[in-house]
Amino acid sequence: MINQFSRLELMLGSDGVKKLNNARVAVFGIGGVGGYTVEALARSGVGELDIIDNDDISKTNINRQIIALHSTVGQSKVDVEEKRILDINPDCKVNKHKIFFSEENAELLDFDSFDYVVDAIDSVKSKLLLAKICYEKNIPLISSMGTGNKLDATMLEISDISKTSYDPLARVMRRELKKLGIKHLTVVYSKEQPIQPDEEKIKELVEEEGVSKRSIPSSNAFVPPSAGLLIASKVITDLLSV
C-alpha cells in the first residue's frame, strides 16, 4: 500500500523503515541546526522524538530556523515543533520538554530510553553535561559545533572531535572533555574561518533583545540547516546499522 514512506522504503526496504519507526531519538536544541535535524528525522519515519528547548520563537530566528515564521513569533518552540512533526507524521510520538537542559533538570529525562541523542545546544556547560551522561550510559551522541559566523556550507563535515581544527567551540569542548576523561565525540563542524559580524548591528540587537554581545553571532539560511541535515543523515545511517 502506498504511503508517505513508500519512496524511502524503495531505498531502505520494509525492515529499514521498521527500524526507524521503532527508534527513539532525543534532540536537544531545536533552533537553526536542531530544527532541521528534527525535520529530517520526522520525514524519515523515526517513531518517537523527544524535543528539548526552553526558547520561544523570535523575529531574528526567521532567517534560519524552519519553525520560525512571522505567524509563529512569540510561540514556544517545542509547541510549534510538535505540531509540525505531527503534521508530517501523525503516528510519531512526540515528547516535548520546555526546559533549558542543566544538572538541575537532567533527571527529568529518561536517557535510558533513547536510542540516539543529538546535541544542538549553544551552552558549553550543557553540551558537556550531555556528553558526560551519554558517555556514561553508552548512548550514541552527535554534537553540533559552531555554525554562527560561517558562510560556506560545503566546508561542514562529520568528524571525531579529536581531529577538529579552526573551530573555537570544538577547541573548548576538546579541552573540557579531556578533563572528564572523554577522548572521543562525533561532531559536525567547519574549518571555515569565522566572519567578523558588523559591530554596530550587534549593538542594536543587544539593545533591542536585551542579551549579551557574545550570544549574537551572525547567521544565514544555509549553514545551520546544512549542519542539521548532516546530523540527521548520520543518525539515520547509524540507526539502520544496528
Side-chain angles (χ1 to χ4, degrees):
M1 180 182 294
I2 293 176
N3 60 62
Q4 69 190 75
F5 302 116
S6 292
R7 294 293 186 96
L8 184 63
E9 192 170 359
L10 289 176
M11 178 180 291
L12 306 182
S14 58
D15 288 344
V17 171
K18 191 175 296 183
K19 271 189 177 183
L20 298 181
N21 183 247
N22 290 332
R24 181 174 180 179
V25 179
V27 181
F28 287 73
I30 53 174
V33 176
Y36 277 84
T37 300
V38 172
E39 181 82 4
L41 296 178
R43 291 185 184 277
S44 299
V46 171
E48 188 167 358
L49 290 166
D50 285 68
I51 48 176
I52 302 95
D53 201 305
N54 190 47
D55 288 344
D56 296 331
I57 296 168
S58 72
K59 189 179 293 184
T60 58
N61 296 154
I62 295 174
N63 79 315
R64 68 195 182 283
Q65 298 187 17
I66 195 164
I67 58 173
L69 306 166
H70 284 282
S71 61
T72 61
V73 168
Q75 297 181 41
S76 164
K77 286 184 180 179
V78 292
D79 288 344
V80 175
E81 186 69 88
E82 178 188 37
K83 291 177 184 176
R84 186 173 180 88
I85 293 168
L86 295 177
D87 205 9
I88 293 169
N89 180 13
D91 294 325
C92 183
K93 182 179 180 183
V94 182
N95 307 302
K96 57 183 180 180
H97 311 270
K98 187 174 172 54
I99 58 172
F100 178 81
F101 179 66
S102 66
E103 290 184 352
E104 287 69 36
N105 54 41
E107 62 182 18
L108 299 176
L109 300 164
D110 185 12
F111 277 90
D112 292 325
S113 67
F114 299 153
D115 296 302
Y116 217 108
V117 170
V118 173
D119 160 28
I121 313 172
D122 293 330
S123 162
V124 172
K125 188 175 182 180
S126 295
K127 293 175 91 69
L128 290 169
L129 174 61
L130 191 55
K132 181 175 182 291
I133 292 172
C134 289
Y135 175 76
E136 291 174 346
K137 292 181 174 293
N138 197 30
I139 303 168
L141 167 68
I142 183 167
S143 180
S144 173
M145 297 293 101
T147 60
N149 301 327
K150 303 292 179 75
L151 191 62
D152 187 353
T154 66
M155 294 191 71
L156 289 164
E157 62 179 274
I158 297 174
S159 178
D160 187 85
I161 198 163
S162 63
K163 299 178 181 178
T164 57
S165 57
Y166 301 104
D167 186 310
L169 176 56
R171 187 182 307 119
V172 172
M173 287 290 292
R174 194 166 57 241
R175 183 187 68 227
E176 297 303 315
L177 286 170
K178 186 177 181 180
K179 295 177 183 177
L180 296 173
I182 301 173
K183 297 180 180 179
H184 301 286
L185 174 65
T186 302
V187 301
V188 168
Y189 87 108
S190 170
K191 292 180 181 177
E192 180 185 2
Q193 293 289 349
I195 292 170
Q196 293 302 315
D198 186 314
E199 289 294 328
E200 290 303 315
K201 291 293 183 183
I202 287 179
K203 289 179 183 178
E204 289 179 18
L205 287 171
V206 169
E207 291 174 2
E208 289 184 22
E209 297 199 356
V211 294
S212 68
K213 180 179 176 181
R214 182 175 292 182
S215 66
I216 307 183
S218 63
S219 62
N220 52 59
F222 36 88
V223 174
S226 296
L229 293 175
L230 269 177
I231 289 172
S233 172
K234 175 66 172 170
V235 172
I236 293 299
T237 53
D238 284 353
L239 287 173
L240 290 170
S241 67
V242 175

